[in-house]
């Protein structure tokens, strides 16, 4: 009886110990303490590495930004160079024509009553030049004033004369009426006032002179065409 009880007691104790070990093991796995500790450790490791990765990204970004800045500087330099070239081109435009470099002559337009005159200004300077605005014509004394311009005859583009090329102006002297009050002139002056280029004396193309009426006279602007359609006045 004692032997049986002793064995029973030992078996019970062994069973209890085994059960306790089993429950302990199951409790550890069930609570996930170890797993959570491992996860926390892993998270800490990632967190510790993240600043380094961020620093690396920041460094890379700085490097790229610096590179981009260098590229921008080069682009700005290129733009400067282009602007400089444009300025040089603009400064290289043709100089203004002067009376000394022009041969200015006058012709009456065909057909009676000869109310219009054509002025020609030939470039004899040997270099290209620009004709500006209209001729300041004095048919009579200065007190009578200059012949006024007709705005619709103004050209849209600059009038550049190459050597040997001519510019033209249509001038209305009178209306040609029989009862019109006119005065006769045998020569008159043409001043390149806008150019500051001096004055030329032009002789009448008709031996008897030209009949002019200060109330009706008018002039066009210099153009490279003999009559460009805008001088119909």
């Amino acid at each position: 009886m004692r032997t049986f009880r002793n064995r029973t007691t030992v078996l019970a104790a062994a069973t209890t110990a085994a059960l306790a070990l089993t429950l302990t093991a199951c409790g550890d796995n069930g609570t996930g303490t170890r797993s959570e500790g491992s996860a926390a450790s892993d998270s800490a490791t990632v967190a510790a590495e993240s600043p380094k990765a961020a620093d690396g990204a920041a460094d890379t970004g700085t490097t790229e930004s610096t590179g981009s800045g260098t590229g921008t500087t080069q682009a700005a330099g290129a733009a400067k160079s282009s602007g400089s070239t444009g300025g040089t081109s603009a400064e290289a435009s043709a100089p203004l024509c002067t009376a000394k470099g022009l041969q200015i002559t006058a012709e009456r337009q065909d057909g009676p009553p000869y109310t219009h005159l054509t002025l020609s200004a030939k470039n004899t300077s040997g270099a290209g030049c620009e004709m500006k605005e209209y001729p300041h014509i004095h048919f009579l004394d200065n007190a009578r004033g200059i012949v006024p311009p007709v705005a619709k005859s103004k050209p849209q583009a600059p009038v550049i004369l190459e050597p040997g090329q001519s510019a033209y102006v249509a001038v209305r002297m009178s209306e040609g009426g029989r009862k019109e009050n006119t005065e006769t002139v045998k020569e008159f002056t043409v001043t390149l006032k806008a150019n500051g280029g001096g004055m030329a004396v032009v002789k009448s193309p008709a031996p008897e002179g030209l009949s002019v009426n200060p109330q009706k006279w008018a002039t066009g602007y210099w153009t490279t065409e003999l009559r460009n359609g805008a001088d119909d006045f």
Side-chain angles (χ1 to χ4, degrees):
M1 291 294 290
R2 289 181 182 175
T3 303
F4 178 76
R5 285 180 181 175
N6 290 338
R7 287 181 180 177
T8 302
T9 302
V10 171
L11 287 173
T15 302
T16 301
L19 181 59
L21 290 173
T22 302
L23 290 173
T24 302
C26 291
D28 290 343
N29 290 337
T31 57
T33 304
R34 291 182 184 177
S35 176
E36 289 177 1
S38 175
S41 176
D42 292 343
S43 299
T45 303
V46 172
E49 291 177 355
S50 295
K52 292 182 181 179
D55 290 343
D59 292 342
T60 304
T62 304
T63 303
E64 290 176 355
S65 175
T66 303
S68 174
T70 304
T72 305
T73 303
Q74 290 174 352
K80 269 189 177 180
S81 176
S82 299
S84 176
T85 303
T88 304
S89 176
E91 292 172 2
S93 59
L96 299 179
C97 299
T98 65
K100 289 183 178 180
L102 298 170
Q103 181 183 358
I104 301 177
T105 57
E107 292 182 11
R108 281 197 303 187
Q109 292 182 5
D110 293 337
Y114 303 109
T115 57
H116 283 68
L117 186 73
T118 298
L119 286 183
S120 301
K122 184 177 181 180
N123 181 4
T124 58
S125 68
C129 64
E130 181 180 358
M131 293 289 285
K132 277 190 173 292
E133 293 192 5
Y134 54 90
H136 287 230
I137 302 171
H138 280 99
F139 275 128
L140 303 171
D141 58 88
N142 291 342
R144 307 290 187 95
I146 64 170
V147 178
V150 176
K152 68 178 181 179
S153 66
K154 185 176 183 179
Q156 297 299 316
V159 178
I160 307 296
L161 298 183
E162 298 300 330
Q165 189 178 7
S166 296
Y168 305 95
V169 161
V171 182
R172 185 179 69 199
M173 299 178 291
S174 66
E175 286 190 333
R178 291 184 179 180
K179 296 182 179 181
E180 187 177 6
N181 292 323
T182 61
E183 298 183 49
T184 302
V185 296
K186 298 242 179 131
E187 65 179 24
F188 56 93
T189 62
V190 174
T191 304
L192 302 181
K193 188 71 173 180
N195 295 16
M199 181 185 70
V201 177
V202 182
K203 294 187 178 299
S204 165
E208 68 277 16
L210 302 171
S211 296
V212 298
N213 180 355
Q215 303 302 317
K216 301 298 181 181
W217 61 29
T219 181
Y221 283 70
W222 293 110
T223 68
T224 53
E225 299 176 6
L226 185 57
R227 290 294 296 275
N228 64 2
D231 294 330
D232 296 329
F233 53 85

